[in-house]
Structures are given as C-alpha cells and as structure tokens.
Amino acid sequence: MEAVKRGAVAISVKGADCVILGAETKSTAKLQKRRSVKKILKVDDHVAVVFAGLTADARVLINRARLHCQSYRLTNEDAPPVQNVAREIAQIQQSYTVRGGRRPFGLAALIAGYNVDGSVSLFRTTPSGTYEEWKANAVGRKEKMMREFLEKHYADDMDRTASIKLVVKSLLEVVEHGAKNIDIGILVPGQPLQKLSEAEIGDVVKEIEAEAEEEGKKGKQWYQR
C-alpha cells in the first residue's frame, strides 16, 4: 500500500457514453524520451487500465490480464465483460497475498471499458485483491483529496467533453507543469483506446484556466456591489 500512496496520481471518470482515464506523468531526465513510461495501458480492444504504484508490477499484472482476455475470447467467442477482467486482476493480486515467498503486487488499478451491450464500466482493484465498481475514482498520492474533488464536481450522464474537463481539472489540483505532466486516454463503445496529444491537453487546460478567470471576475464584481 505504501507504493500506491507514493505513486503518481491515476484517475478515471465514467461519462454517459465514455470512460476517461487520466494519469500524472513524472518529469523525465533530460536524455529520456518523454512519455516512454506509460501509465495508461491497453488490456484488450475494449478495456484499459490506469494505475498507481510500481510500473514493473503493473507490466506483469497487465500481461496476465491480456492472456485472460485472449483465453476468454477463444472459449466464448466474445469479448469478456469489464467486470470479468476486473475480477481476474483482483484474483491474481489476492493470490500473491497468501503464498509464502511472494510479495503482493505494489499497485492499485482503475479498470475501465465497455461491454457488449454498449454500457461503460469502471472498477478499482487494490493490492489486497478487492475490487469495486465506481462512477469516478482516483488512486495514488493525495487520492483522498482527489476523491473529495470528484465527489464535489461529478455529475451523472456527463458528455465526453465534460468528462475530459473534469479529469484534467482534477489532475491540475496536484500535478506540476500543467499539460506537460498529464496523460489522458478515452474509451468509447465500439472504438479502441484513444490518447490525447499534449497540444490537445494544453487546449483543455487553457479552457479551464479561462473559465476560472471568468468566474473570478464575476465574483469580484458581485463583491464590489
């Protein structure tokens, strides 16, 4: 759990017809390729994961989940439901808490995706192997503050634009250097995982800053009255 609490922030929000995943990307060394360490990972055509914790542990766990999805498709000739994938990841995590000579996986994951009926789902798993379904959640450092921010600003049936804006706005509460250290992924029923470019994230940040400035002006005018 300590690795999760110290990990970079990961967040996901479920909209009316989409699931948005967001992650804090740490500043890289001068000679390191930007965004070479990915926090938003594709599991299957319809499922993606964002995590907080140990990147190496996440790589092993996600590869196991990918094998499960392939096996499910071969057996059932259909894509596995998002809950099925979340349960499998949680079972793997739990199995490493009860075997001697092995340490638990040092990560918490937010598993997002869409089902055959077109509905979207979001689940969280913990190092202990529990999993729950959420409308929006955050894991990693300052996750309590992020969750309180989401509780205050989340609304049911948000469209894609509003969902992206909420994720970016939440990350701006803890991330330094704005758009440079933010990664955003989008899952829409019937489409593969999409990533926003740094320029697109920058546009959202500018829009949020403009709205905040406008609200500040309105508040100042009201106070002067």
Side-chain angles (χ1 to χ4, degrees), residues 12-46:
S12 188
V13 169
K14 187 170 77 168
D17 61 347
C18 64
V19 187
I20 312 301
L21 303 100
E24 172 191 13
T25 58
K26 296 287 188 179
S27 297
T28 55
K30 190 173 182 179
L31 298 179
Q32 184 180 352
K33 184 179 178 182
R34 284 188 58 77
R35 300 183 185 272
S36 58
V37 178
K38 296 181 173 65
K39 289 285 184 179
I40 301 175
L41 302 170
K42 175 184 173 183
V43 179
D44 201 57
D45 292 340
H46 66 303

Side-chain angles (χ1 to χ4, degrees), residues 188-200:
V188 178
Q191 299 179 26
L193 176 67
Q194 305 166 42
K195 290 283 196 75
L196 291 187
S197 67
E198 190 176 315
E200 290 172 320

Side-chain angles (χ1 to χ4, degrees), residues 57-91:
D57 285 18
R59 184 179 67 247
V60 172
L61 187 61
I62 299 309
N63 282 340
R64 295 273 294 272
R66 287 168 178 160
L67 286 172
H68 169 75
C69 291
Q70 292 168 14
S71 176
Y72 188 99
R73 284 179 180 274
L74 283 171
T75 304
N76 300 282
E77 298 183 353
D78 212 343
V82 182
Q83 183 175 5
N84 179 276
V85 180
R87 184 170 63 244
E88 177 65 19
I89 290 174
Q91 283 178 344

Side-chain angles (χ1 to χ4, degrees), residues 182-222:
I182 292 177
D183 196 14
I184 299 292
I186 305 169
L187 271 173
V188 178
Q191 299 179 26
L193 176 67
Q194 305 166 42
K195 290 283 196 75
L196 291 187
S197 67
E198 190 176 315
E200 290 172 320
I201 297 171
D203 291 339
V204 178
V205 171
K206 288 177 184 175
E207 190 177 339
I208 290 168
E209 289 173 346
E211 288 177 359
E213 190 176 336
E214 187 66 28
E215 286 178 9
K217 287 180 181 178
K218 288 180 181 178
K220 190 175 181 181
Q221 289 171 358
W222 182 86

Side-chain angles (χ1 to χ4, degrees), residues 103-175:
R103 64 167 176 79
F105 282 94
L107 73 144
L110 296 172
I111 301 140
Y114 55 86
N115 301 295
V116 177
D117 62 1
S119 62
V120 291
S121 298
L122 171 63
F123 291 86
R124 181 191 70 164
T125 69
T126 64
S128 63
T130 60
Y131 75 100
E132 319 99 6
E133 188 168 9
W134 293 76
K135 294 179 180 178
N137 204 345
V139 292
R141 67 185 187 92
K142 298 185 179 179
E143 63 179 47
K144 184 179 179 182
M145 184 184 80
M146 296 277 283
R147 203 171 293 131
E148 288 172 353
F149 185 88
L150 288 171
E151 288 172 357
K152 186 177 179 181
H153 294 90
Y154 180 85
D156 290 322
D157 299 322
M158 291 188 300
D159 61 19
R160 195 182 314 181
T161 301
S163 300
I164 292 172
K165 196 178 290 185
L166 176 58
V167 169
V168 174
K169 194 181 291 186
S170 301
L171 287 169
L172 288 173
E173 294 289 307
V174 296
V175 171

